[in-house]
Amino acid sequence: MQEKFENSVKNMLEIIGENPQREGLLKTPTRVFKAFDFLTSGYKQDPKKILNDALFESSNNEMVLVRDIEFYSLCEHHLLPFFGRVHVAYIPDKKVVGLSKIPRLVEVFARRLQIQEQLTEQIAESLMKHVGAKGVGVVIEARHMCVEMRGVQKANSTTSTSALRGSFLKSEKTRREFFSLINSSKQVRF
Ligand SMILES: [Zn+2]
């Protein structure tokens, strides 16, 4: 598999007018293979297992919010990076999940070929399903290199997506609390 991948990279280099045999490019196919192996390692990880390993009983039924989780992903249309921040909130129903597992969950889905909308939904869905939350809210703010580098849009423009589930859809109060907590984080950076 690795050989097949590396041959494809060599072909690509030739097609764009490069010489894969020149010194600077000799190790490039192997490097690209290793980079893609890492950047798509989320396919080999099971979100259910990650969350189930850290579920705790709790009587807490207040909103839990983890904001400003950095992520890096690859767009499935151009294989170019998109990256930014994820804010994840949920309202527990007798069970809470270890806080470090939420950034892990984001990585599982970010380290796959993605579109931003789908990444947002997958994070929300798996928290609903595997943690049994009463409600979930996920917001992603990201910059897309396939947009910026190709000059389709101005540099530094961000794309925002959100996915709301359960009580975040039903209750306006919950929704308002969620969005005001995210926005307040923009003033307090420490
Ligand atoms: Zn793209």
Side-chain angles (χ1 to χ4, degrees), residues 16-35:
I16 63 168
E18 266 293 355
N19 169 15
Q21 302 309 324
R22 76 174 170 85
E23 209 192 335
L25 291 178
L26 274 179
K27 290 184 183 155
T28 296
T30 310
R31 290 193 194 102
V32 178
F33 171 78
K34 284 184 181 157

Side-chain angles (χ1 to χ4, degrees), residues 21-165:
Q21 302 309 324
R22 76 174 170 85
E23 209 192 335
L25 291 178
L26 274 179
K27 290 184 183 155
T28 296
T30 310
R31 290 193 194 102
V32 178
F33 171 78
K34 284 184 181 157
F36 267 79
D37 193 43
F38 177 77
L39 296 173
T40 59
S41 56
Y43 289 116
K44 293 176 209 140
Q45 287 168 336
D46 179 6
K48 184 180 172 193
K49 190 175 179 307
I50 288 168
L51 294 173
N52 280 353
D53 280 352
L55 283 183
F56 308 101
E57 305 238 337
S58 168
S59 56
N60 175 33
N61 53 11
E62 298 294 328
M63 187 180 296
V64 179
L65 169 69
V66 184
R67 61 195 183 195
D68 293 322
I69 303 166
E70 276 188 22
F71 80 94
Y72 297 87
S73 190
L74 290 173
C75 89
E76 68 181 23
H77 300 141
H78 305 91
L79 306 186
L80 287 171
F82 71 100
F83 59 91
R85 290 165 189 276
V86 189
H87 314 288
V88 179
Y90 73 102
I91 295 180
D93 186 9
K94 300 186 195 78
K95 279 181 287 181
V96 293
V97 66
L99 286 180
S100 68
K101 300 299 171 181
I102 292 178
R104 282 282 315 278
L105 180 69
V106 170
E107 272 177 5
V108 167
F109 291 116
R111 288 183 186 157
R112 298 177 184 197
L113 303 185
Q114 277 291 8
I115 57 172
Q116 186 178 333
E117 296 87 335
Q118 179 180 272
L119 177 60
T120 317
E121 304 247 317
Q122 286 176 337
I123 296 165
E125 282 296 324
S126 57
L127 272 174
M128 277 304 272
K129 205 165 132 198
H130 305 309
V131 180
K134 278 186 189 141
V136 173
V138 178
V139 166
I140 300 186
E141 300 165 306
R143 291 176 56 189
H144 291 254
M145 291 303 102
C146 65
V147 174
E148 295 187 30
M149 291 175 77
R150 298 187 310 141
V152 184
Q153 224 171 293
K154 256 189 216 152
N156 287 314
S157 64
T158 54
T159 304
S160 300
T161 47
S162 66
L164 305 170
R165 296 288 185 275

Side-chain angles (χ1 to χ4, degrees), residues 65 67-68 85 87 180-190:
L65 169 69
R67 61 195 183 195
D68 293 322
R85 290 165 189 276
H87 314 288
S180 81
L181 280 171
I182 292 175
N183 289 328
S184 71
S185 75
K186 282 179 181 145
Q187 279 105 49
V188 194
R189 290 261 190 250
F190 49 86

